[in-house]
Amino acid sequence: SIIKKRRKIAQKLTIHKMNAVLKHFKKNKIIYILIFLFFLSKLLTIPSYKTVWWDSAVYIGMGKYVYSFGSAGLWESSRSILWPLLLGFLWKTGLNVLIGRVLEIIFGSLCILLTYFIGKRLFNGKTALLASIFLALSPTFFLFNGVMLAEIVSTFFSLVAIYFFIEKKYYISGIFLGVAFMAKFFQLFIFIAIIFITLLNFDAKSVRNLKKIFIGFIVVTALFLILNQILYNNIFFPFIQQIFLSNNSGWLNYHSFSYYFIELFKENLVYLLFVFGLFLLFKDKDANKKLIAIIF
């Protein structure tokens, strides 16, 4: 009789969970339709990616190097390691480049979903949906999903960190900030923005929150720093290499700082409305809304 009661309780819980999931999908069906259309359209465009870009090939080579213990692939010390580890795992399990492209498209789709959830949490459903549509239809974002670079993947983890920060789950936020940093060193700027917004209202509570974020971040990055010390006798060696290469290579692709602002608005002139939005965000008393502006 006890077993029967437990089964009934388990069945009721299962039904309750299924109903909750169905209710969630019905309530947010438009964003899921958008993500499905984005994912499907990206799958259809995969044949147009006929070559593997240089940096993508390096990430694949690094993954092979790790999983073959140095007998295949290549190693570049200036690169972040998370994306090579994921691509290398695919190679180790016998999967090809196509699956790597699909994996990045999945991460891109999740970026759209997180944009929606963050927007809904901070503003409202309409604003969240509009932001998600802008992201999905961004020519740059659409093009780079499937190229197998680290930007989309690292952005996903940064968005996860931002979401948990808004939800006041600071340890988890710190962990994902560390993961994002391991996926792309430049995601450190998201970490800096979150630290800045935490210190904006400096008190004992913000110090405790900051400590939690740092602990989460260090838990993830400590192993990488230790590995740097073992391999290069310098925990900061990859970052120093990255700075050196940024200053001394890639001159054909060099643009001034203003390039990013000009190209952003050339993609969509409606983005110019952000100027008014930015002003309103800074005026808003909600620190989390200021965070969005500061990250920009």
Side-chain angles (χ1 to χ4, degrees), residues 138-163:
S138 163
T140 300
F141 182 77
F142 192 88
L143 168 68
F144 277 84
N145 269 278
V147 175
M148 293 188 298
L149 297 179
E151 280 74 11
I152 302 293
V153 179
S154 62
T155 298
F156 162 74
F157 289 113
S158 284
L159 287 170
V160 174
I162 293 164
Y163 178 81

Side-chain angles (χ1 to χ4, degrees), residues 47-276:
S48 65
Y49 295 96
K50 299 185 183 300
T51 59
V52 178
W53 289 20
W54 176 271
D55 287 34
S56 307
V58 172
Y59 289 130
I60 294 168
M62 288 175 68
K64 289 181 178 181
Y65 190 90
V66 172
Y67 286 97
S68 68
F69 298 99
S71 63
L74 77 161
W75 184 256
E76 285 196 11
S77 58
S78 62
R79 305 273 184 172
S80 49
I81 62 170
L82 181 62
W83 188 226
L85 288 175
L86 292 174
L87 291 175
F89 179 77
L90 295 178
W91 169 77
K92 187 67 176 177
T93 53
L95 299 173
N96 60 17
V97 169
L98 175 64
I99 305 302
R101 296 193 191 280
V102 173
L103 180 61
E104 187 181 24
I105 293 169
I106 291 170
F107 276 112
S109 302
L110 292 172
C111 283
I112 298 170
L113 184 63
L114 278 164
T115 299
Y116 176 78
F117 283 139
I118 292 169
K120 195 175 181 182
R121 175 68 173 77
L122 291 180
F123 304 99
N124 54 63
K126 289 181 179 178
T127 302
L129 186 61
L130 189 62
S132 302
I133 291 170
F134 276 141
L135 179 61
L137 298 180
S138 163
T140 300
F141 182 77
F142 192 88
L143 168 68
F144 277 84
N145 269 278
V147 175
M148 293 188 298
L149 297 179
E151 280 74 11
I152 302 293
V153 179
S154 62
T155 298
F156 162 74
F157 289 113
S158 284
L159 287 170
V160 174
I162 293 164
Y163 178 81
F164 280 115
F165 177 82
I166 292 167
E167 292 293 323
K168 299 181 179 179
K169 296 179 180 178
Y170 300 108
Y171 281 123
I172 302 174
S173 178
I175 287 170
F176 278 103
L177 284 168
V179 174
F181 179 66
M182 290 292 92
K184 185 75 177 178
F185 295 147
F186 285 105
Q187 295 293 348
L188 183 68
F189 288 110
I190 307 297
F191 178 69
I192 292 170
I194 283 180
I195 298 305
F196 181 84
I197 203 71
T198 306
L199 293 173
L200 204 60
N201 298 315
F202 190 78
D203 54 22
K205 188 178 180 181
S206 66
V207 172
R208 286 196 300 271
N209 295 339
L210 195 61
K211 190 185 295 183
K212 292 175 183 178
I213 293 168
F214 268 102
I215 290 171
F217 185 83
I218 291 168
V219 164
V220 176
T221 57
L223 184 61
F224 178 67
L225 297 176
I226 292 167
L227 183 64
N228 291 341
Q229 184 63 34
I230 294 169
L231 293 176
Y232 316 116
N233 203 31
N234 185 341
I235 61 172
F236 301 116
F237 183 77
F239 316 126
I240 295 168
Q241 282 286 94
Q242 182 65 247
I243 293 168
F244 174 81
L245 290 171
S246 297
N247 288 332
N248 296 282
S249 64
W251 285 103
L252 291 174
N253 295 317
Y254 174 77
H255 297 283
S256 65
F257 187 72
S258 61
Y259 167 86
Y260 299 100
F261 294 93
I262 294 167
E263 291 300 314
L264 177 66
F265 301 123
K266 278 171 67 178
E267 282 197 355
N268 191 337
L269 286 174
V270 178
Y271 288 164
L272 285 169
L273 292 172
F274 105 95
V275 175
F276 305 104

